[in-house]
Each structure stands twice: as C-alpha cells, then as structure tokens.
Amino acid sequence: MTEWIRKKEIIELSKLARGTRPSRRLAKYHDQIVLLDPKNYGENPQDKLGQKVKDRIRDLAYFLHNIDPDVDRTLKCRGWYEDDVNDQFYLVFELPVIIVGQHLPSVQSLHDLVESTFRPSITARIQLAKSLAIALRRVHENRWYHKGIRSDSVLFIQPQVGASRTLESPRLAGFDFARKDGPKEYSEKPMETYANLYRHPDALRDPAISFTHVHDYYALGVVLVEIALWEPIKKVLHKHQKFQGKNCQESDARKIRGILLNEDPEAQDNHPRNIAFSMGDIFLTVVTTCLRGEFGVPADDLDLINAFDTYVIDQLDRCII
C-alpha cells in the first residue's frame, strides 16, 4: 500500500545531472535510497494551491505502487508528499538496483545519453524502442494517459556512478501530468516550452480538444526519432532556430510534425530518409505511424490499444538486425 509521507522523513542527497528533470533527485527514506520525481502546481493559474491535483497524485501513487516494475518498465512508487514551500508534490520511487556500499546510484535519462559520447548498437536501440512502446501500452491498458513522454522521462539506473552505460532495463518516469482516462478528469498542460517539442499539434493548449491515446503515441514517435538519429530533438531541429529555448512559440511547435515527416515545404530536412538509413524501413514506418496517428481505427475506438500492438509493437518485433 502506498504511504502519505512526511516531508521531514525525506533526506535529500543530490540533484541529478543536467538533462534530467530540473527537480528530480535522490534521497534517503527509512535508510533506503529512493528517487524523488516532482509535480509542480504553483505555476498553474487554475490551481495555485494544488487542490485539483492532490487526489490525482494519490491515485497515481496507488497505480504506480501496484505495478510490476520489470513487466511494466516503470518504477514502483512508495508514496508521496507535499512540499508546500516550493508548490510541489513529490512521488517517491524505489530503485530497481542493489546499492553497492556507500555509493550513490547512477540515474541517467535517455536525454543524457543521446547528448553523450555513448553510441549504442542498432539492436539495442530497437529493443529500447520496443520496451518504451510496451511501457506506454501498459499505462494505457490501466486506463491512464502518461502525457509526458519525452527523452528525459526515460531513465537508466545503475548501482553506482561510473558503471558501464547501457540501454538495458529502461524505466518510464515523468508522470507528473498523467491523468486517468475519463471525460470528467481535470486535464493539465505543461507550462514549459521544451515540452511542446513532444506535443501533438492538436494538444497544444487547445481547451476544446481532450487528450487521447494518439497524443501519447505522437510523443513516443518523437522519442523514436531521437533514438533513431541518436540526437536530442532540439538538435534534430537545429536548423530551425525558432524551436530553440524560450523563443519556441506554440504556433511554431505546430509545424514540428510536418518537419519530422518531411512534409513542410519550407523545411526539407529528409529526416524520414535518415531514419530509414539508420534503422531500416520498418522502423521508419513505425515512427511515421506514431507521428501521423494512423492506426487503422478512429482515435476514440476501443480497439485502438490493440491496433497500437499491431502497428507498433508487432512491427518493432520484425526489426531484425
């Protein structure tokens, strides 16, 4: 059972490296090293005190506690607490590794790795793509939306700093905007500009459009582009300065899908051709399917999750190197 945790029981140890979420950190809770993942609420003008999301955090902690971390490719949640001084809730996660002596574990995100000198094999990258697709499917079949699929939401945890880098055992994190699948659920949208690089054009702050599975699939497609080209999405779009940093406007972000699909006449970058060269035609087809949201059934069809299996997971199984 998940716990409501007193803030004073948490002993913070270290913030994580650049490229991970700004406030994600390691801590000690009851003599166990844990990972803290934050949920900000003070920046949302509709929920200054966090009242709208408090019940959701409790439900999310319960959901993430009752998962099988190895099957679901996520982290097991111990509980949650509120830091009202900084307008944040924190989810407290167990780590899936045995800590060696007094060493702190290494926690790196996919974003960290694609910016590093690490160069994994095509086989490892295909397996990573499949693992993330399965993780997202498990979230959806439990009737939740993730709403934060990005390369800094994919974590790789090793027993200690300096361990060999690997793409094995990825863990999907970054659930701070997750919500249940339901028409009456309160829906939030990230305030940070960087998140727009992964957001479906229809989900960019349009209150008339409800979030759907297809919007999560789109974000997965952007991460698959990063995996294929082994570059962060900002670098993939480096020729387009309007997408960089705080200068990226939502009207600009709406054009990203067309650029990634090489459909924008003002920006012919041949990304699809580069993906096929790097990862093969089947992988390119999977990326294109996610970015276009074309799964052979309507976006609100009950069979959409099964269609995702057919068009994404089963196809990634066919990628053999």
Side-chain angles (χ1 to χ4, degrees):
M1 184 174 181
T2 52
E3 307 168 291
W4 175 75
I5 295 170
R6 293 181 177 86
K7 182 183 174 183
K8 65 182 181 181
E9 297 178 284
I10 297 292
I11 301 173
E12 294 187 6
L13 298 175
S14 68
K15 293 184 179 180
L16 298 179
R18 181 179 63 85
T20 60
R21 299 179 58 78
S23 297
R24 185 178 284 151
R25 60 197 68 189
L26 294 171
K28 184 172 285 188
Y29 173 60
H30 290 181
D31 293 325
Q32 182 181 18
I33 304 296
V34 295
L35 179 72
L36 307 180
D37 216 358
K39 162 62 183 171
N40 297 327
Y41 59 78
E43 297 177 354
N44 187 341
Q46 298 179 343
D47 193 24
K48 286 288 187 181
L49 300 178
Q51 293 302 311
K52 291 186 177 181
V53 297
K54 193 168 187 176
D55 288 343
R56 177 172 299 160
I57 288 293
R58 186 184 298 111
D59 291 343
L60 180 59
Y62 179 80
F63 160 55
L64 293 173
H65 176 78
N66 290 288
I67 50 93
D68 183 329
D70 294 325
V71 173
D72 297 324
R73 277 79 166 180
T74 55
L75 297 171
K76 192 174 187 69
C77 186
R78 285 286 300 272
W80 62 280
Y81 69 94
E82 182 176 4
D83 179 358
D84 52 8
V85 174
N86 294 305
D87 296 332
Q88 291 178 319
F89 292 108
Y90 276 94
L91 292 170
V92 180
F93 291 100
E94 297 177 0
L95 297 179
V97 294
I98 298 174
I99 308 303
V100 180
Q102 298 299 313
H103 296 285
L104 287 180
S106 166
V107 182
Q108 291 187 297
S109 71
L110 177 59
H111 185 274
D112 294 327
L113 294 182
V114 297
E115 283 202 317
S116 73
T117 58
F118 179 49
R119 292 293 179 266
S121 68
I122 294 176
T123 301
R125 283 183 283 155
I126 290 173
Q127 185 57 47
L128 170 61
K130 182 181 175 183
S131 292
L132 296 182
I134 291 173
L136 181 55
R137 189 205 195 284
R138 298 286 288 178
V139 172
H140 286 172
E141 70 183 15
N142 280 284
R143 301 188 62 79
W144 280 82
Y145 296 130
H146 188 283
K147 296 189 64 180
I149 301 291
R150 305 197 291 267
S151 56
D152 65 359
S153 296
V154 181
L155 303 182
F156 301 90
I157 303 172
Q158 299 279 63
Q160 64 185 72
V161 175
S164 298
R165 290 175 291 188
T166 176
L167 296 185
E168 294 180 2
S169 302
R171 303 290 170 162
L172 184 60
F175 283 86
D176 43 317
F177 286 97
R179 72 167 176 85
K180 290 181 180 179
D181 175 4
K184 295 183 179 180
E185 287 290 323
Y186 168 62
S187 190
E188 305 170 271
K189 296 185 179 179
M191 306 300 286
E192 51 196 351
T193 304
Y194 170 65
N196 286 342
L197 301 180
Y198 297 85
R199 303 198 75 216
H200 190 284
D202 291 344
L204 286 166
R205 298 190 189 278
D206 187 342
I209 296 178
S210 296
F211 198 89
T212 70
H213 296 89
V214 168
H215 298 156
D216 266 346
Y217 297 153
Y218 175 86
L220 175 65
V222 177
V223 173
L224 295 186
V225 171
E226 294 180 293
I227 291 171
L229 302 180
W230 204 244
E231 292 180 336
I233 190 63
K234 282 187 176 182
K235 188 171 181 180
V236 173
L237 299 169
H238 72 280
K239 294 181 182 179
H240 312 283
Q241 293 300 315
K242 58 189 175 185
F243 299 131
Q244 306 305 313
K246 295 182 179 179
N247 295 324
C248 179
Q249 302 297 314
E250 289 172 11
S251 57
D252 297 325
R254 292 180 185 278
K255 301 177 182 179
I256 290 175
R257 177 168 62 175
I259 292 171
L260 295 180
L261 291 170
N262 207 34
E263 295 174 343
D264 188 332
E266 299 179 4
Q268 296 289 314
D269 286 335
N270 295 321
H271 295 306
R273 206 172 304 166
N274 293 340
I275 291 171
F277 175 77
S278 299
M279 304 292 282
D281 291 332
I282 295 176
F283 198 95
L284 170 60
T285 299
V286 169
V287 170
T288 302
T289 297
C290 289
L291 293 179
R292 288 181 174 161
E294 296 177 346
F295 295 93
V297 297
D300 58 353
D301 196 289
L302 295 176
D303 286 333
L304 181 59
I305 294 178
N306 292 329
F308 179 75
D309 283 350
T310 301
Y311 284 83
V312 175
I313 296 175
D314 290 350
Q315 292 304 306
L316 290 173
D317 266 337
R318 295 180 57 223
C319 294
I320 300 174
I321 304 301

